[in-house]
Amino acid sequence: MPSIEAVNLTKQYGAFTALSGLNLKIEGTKCVGFLGPNGAGKTTALKMFTDLIRPTKGEALINGVNVHTEKKKALASVGTLIETPEIYSSLTPREALTMIAEIRGIPHTERKKRVEDVVAELRMEEWIDKRVGKFSKGMKQRICIASALLNDPTVVLLDEPTTGLDPRGMSEVRDIIKALKGKNRLIFMSSHILSEVSDVCDEVAMINHGKLIIYDTLPHVTAKFSGGNNVVEVGLMRPVDNQIVTKTIAGFPDVVAAEKIGDKDLKISFSGGLEVQERLLNDIVKLNIGVVSYKPASSELEDVYLKLITATL
Amino acid sequence: MTQTNFESKNVVPSSIAQVGIITKYTLLDYVRSRRFFIMLTITALISVLLTVLVGYYRPAGFLTSELGFYSSWWGTSVTFVIILSGIFFGGDAISGEFQNKTGYFGVPNPIRRSSIYIGKWIAAFIASIAILGVFTAVTLGNGLYYFSGVPSQFGESLLFALLYLVAVLGFTFFFSSLFKSSSMSILLTAILFLFVFTLIQQLVAGLVQIEPWFILTYGSQIIGNVLTSPYPPNITTASLRPGGGGPTLTTYNATIPEGLAIMGIYFVITAVVGLILFERKEFN
């Protein structure tokens, strides 16, 4: 089972503590979002997991292997994307990715196909033999993501992977990350885009001022900080009468509160799990009020984030 | 040594094999880069200039003897070509990994930093050898045009030049590891080799009157000196007044063992310190 573990992981720059005694063990095949404001220590932690910086104290372990004492073994099955790397400008994506494939020991017979497959996955086929020096930031980011996926890694460490990408690129990268989850991978990704984390991740770890604040599953985190209730947003085709919202819907079993957040949008808090969520959907559809969408509130994680992260820097 | 991860399907190559991989792709990057062609052009210009000047003016220093030709042509110019190659290919080899962020692409992989450092060093060495090869070929072409043979001392001088290239690249890589700014490392290396070393060497020898055995460029004198016959004495003291008496001027010439030792020691120390610096440097 893939795992990453921070044991009392600390990084100090003189008097400034960038990361303070981080203890975090993540095990299994899932996607974990790593959240925190600018300067919280997210990138610092990820860099210590990839040998870009060294811890002042503590250990960074991948699959139980210390990254700093046994780097080659620890990173053998890891794909990484930290910040936005640059690629030697004279090389083409094919050459740059073949270099990484050779470093990671992908057999000669599989190398060419593997490089072409990951480039195709990132929709960069027509650029595969063009020199990287002419690429935009987003195109380089795609090649770097391709590099992270090259050796079919068991652990994937991503630092704001959708930075620099256009909306379509962001959506494609999210789909790739979701697909990776289905292939028994442990994905640990930092992001400032909370809707992205809600969409892609199963668990979240939040840090602030170099300290871990919370690590739990996404439903637990949101439930814990929203009074134990779940929230769904309902989109309607036409405006709905207030009475239906405040009397009928609010009166459904397990519904804690229902409110209009626009002419054609409702926000409903309820207690209970997915069964209640399903029953609630059926009940609302039966009202024949023109339901066109029904989804967990995207602002839930943001609410939690704003409650926990009280100040930045 | 081959290591495998229990989770990995791939066998990570040995560190030595990874040095070869880094060398191959860095060399590819160098050969395609503008700087390689600029360096090649500079070398070609020096060669053409010497060819034209010697062909047109037929200076006595070049054409009175075979050894004198190689001493004047090769002995005076090759160290400049070597220093430029060192600056062009080694000046930002390591600092560029930080400033240009290419290190973020290569370092977070199952590869030791030492493999990256050594691989890049070998690539810079091979690229410089290619440049040096062009200059050597033109030198030999002209030498064979004016004289029938090649003196055996030229072979020695070529070997000393290669050792000097090794030492210069060791030094430029060390300087490149000191800084995270490419322009800073290139500029300081250029200033050191083109001005500071020579200046210190002259001040120490002329004013303090001690042998500047601790300066790399002093050791490199053997490249040109081996092409003079007889080999110049280690220490020469001459009076500044005609007929003798009064103040004297002492000049120093590195002996061959001294020159070899200076270049060898410079390489070993700068290579080790540069490697340690790169191992410890952080990508902040």
Side-chain angles (χ1 to χ4, degrees), chain B residues 48-69:
Chain B
V48 169
L49 198 67
L50 283 170
T51 306
V52 171
L53 287 176
V54 174
Y56 187 76
Y57 292 105
R58 302 205 158 248
F62 279 78
L63 300 178
T64 44
S65 73
E66 195 177 75
L67 206 54
F69 172 83

Side-chain angles (χ1 to χ4, degrees), chain B residues 131-209:
Chain B
I131 299 293
L132 196 58
V134 171
F135 189 69
T136 308
V138 176
T139 306
L140 285 171
N142 276 277
L144 290 170
Y145 176 77
Y146 292 109
F147 301 95
S148 55
V150 180
S152 62
Q153 291 95 323
F154 181 72
E156 285 177 66
S157 182
L158 183 59
L159 289 176
F160 298 159
L162 288 175
L163 181 60
Y164 186 49
L165 174 61
V166 166
V168 167
L169 281 175
F171 194 91
T172 54
F173 266 65
F174 156 68
F175 242 70
S176 190
S177 300
L178 267 180
F179 300 100
K180 284 185 177 173
S181 156
S182 298
S183 48
M184 180 72 90
S185 60
I186 289 174
L187 191 69
L188 282 178
T189 310
I191 290 172
L192 268 180
F193 273 101
L194 298 176
F195 306 109
V196 177
F197 278 168
T198 316
L199 188 68
I200 294 174
Q201 191 181 317
Q202 284 173 354
L203 286 175
V204 166
L207 296 179
V208 190
Q209 298 208 332

Side-chain angles (χ1 to χ4, degrees), chain A residues 36-40 207-211 213 304-313:
Chain A
N38 291 331
I207 61 168
N208 195 14
H209 298 301
K211 289 187 173 167
I213 298 172
V304 174
Y305 182 91
L306 294 174
K307 275 179 192 165
L308 287 174
I309 311 290
T310 49
T312 59
L313 298 175

Side-chain angles (χ1 to χ4, degrees), chain B residues 93-106:
Chain B
I94 302 299
S95 55
E97 294 285 304
F98 294 87
Q99 184 174 320
N100 305 333
K101 286 195 159 188
T102 47
Y104 286 84
F105 189 69

Side-chain angles (χ1 to χ4, degrees), chain B residues 114-145:
Chain B
S114 54
S115 298
I116 296 174
Y117 190 94
I118 296 166
K120 287 178 82 75
W121 190 93
I122 294 172
F125 182 68
I126 295 170
S128 302
I129 291 277
I131 299 293
L132 196 58
V134 171
F135 189 69
T136 308
V138 176
T139 306
L140 285 171
N142 276 277
L144 290 170
Y145 176 77

Side-chain angles (χ1 to χ4, degrees), chain A residues 1-2 11 13 47 50-54 63 71-77 80 82-91 95-96 98-100 102-107 131 144 147 151-152 154, chain B residues 1 3-15 18 21-22 24-26 28-29 32-33 97 100-113 120 279-284:
Chain A
M1 189 182 289
K11 184 66 189 177
Y13 296 101
K47 282 181 176 178
T50 50
D51 187 43
L52 288 168
I53 59 176
R54 287 165 188 276
N63 294 326
K71 180 188 172 186
K72 283 184 76 173
K73 192 174 176 188
L75 296 183
S77 183
T80 65
I82 309 296
E83 295 196 355
T84 303
E86 283 291 330
I87 302 165
Y88 298 127
S89 57
S90 303
L91 300 186
E95 289 158 351
T98 304
M99 176 181 81
I100 299 298
E102 287 183 37
I103 288 171
R104 293 187 187 166
I106 295 173
R131 291 193 190 176
C144 292
S147 152
N151 61 334
D152 208 8
T154 56
Chain B
M1 183 177 65
Q3 293 186 326
T4 55
N5 186 300
F6 66 96
E7 294 279 3
S8 177
K9 291 177 296 217
N10 308 315
V11 178
V12 177
S14 69
S15 293
Q18 287 179 327
I21 296 166
I22 296 293
K24 182 171 74 176
Y25 288 96
T26 307
L28 187 62
D29 186 46
R32 283 190 189 153
S33 68
E97 294 285 304
N100 305 333
K101 286 195 159 188
T102 47
Y104 286 84
F105 189 69
V107 172
N109 280 291
I111 181 169
R112 292 175 203 277
R113 288 192 188 197
K120 287 178 82 75
E279 289 273 6
R280 300 172 83 90
K281 201 152 215 167
E282 301 197 327
F283 286 81
N284 293 317

Side-chain angles (χ1 to χ4, degrees), chain A residues 155-166:
Chain A
V155 175
V156 182
L157 304 174
L158 304 169
D159 183 24
E160 299 179 22
T162 54
T163 300
L165 297 177
D166 55 33

Side-chain angles (χ1 to χ4, degrees), chain A residues 114-176:
Chain A
R114 191 71 201 131
V115 166
E116 287 173 356
D117 284 351
V118 288
V119 169
E121 204 171 346
L122 272 298
R123 310 267 196 278
M124 290 289 289
E125 304 99 309
E126 65 177 294
W127 299 92
I128 193 167
D129 291 315
K130 304 265 193 317
R131 291 193 190 176
V132 174
K134 292 173 183 156
F135 286 12
S136 69
K137 189 183 174 194
M139 291 161 81
K140 286 178 191 166
Q141 185 80 340
R142 283 170 188 249
I143 299 304
C144 292
I145 293 169
S147 152
L149 306 178
L150 204 52
N151 61 334
D152 208 8
T154 56
V155 175
V156 182
L157 304 174
L158 304 169
D159 183 24
E160 299 179 22
T162 54
T163 300
L165 297 177
D166 55 33
R168 182 163 190 85
M170 290 167 90
S171 169
E172 284 167 5
V173 168
R174 281 182 208 134
D175 287 344
I176 288 166

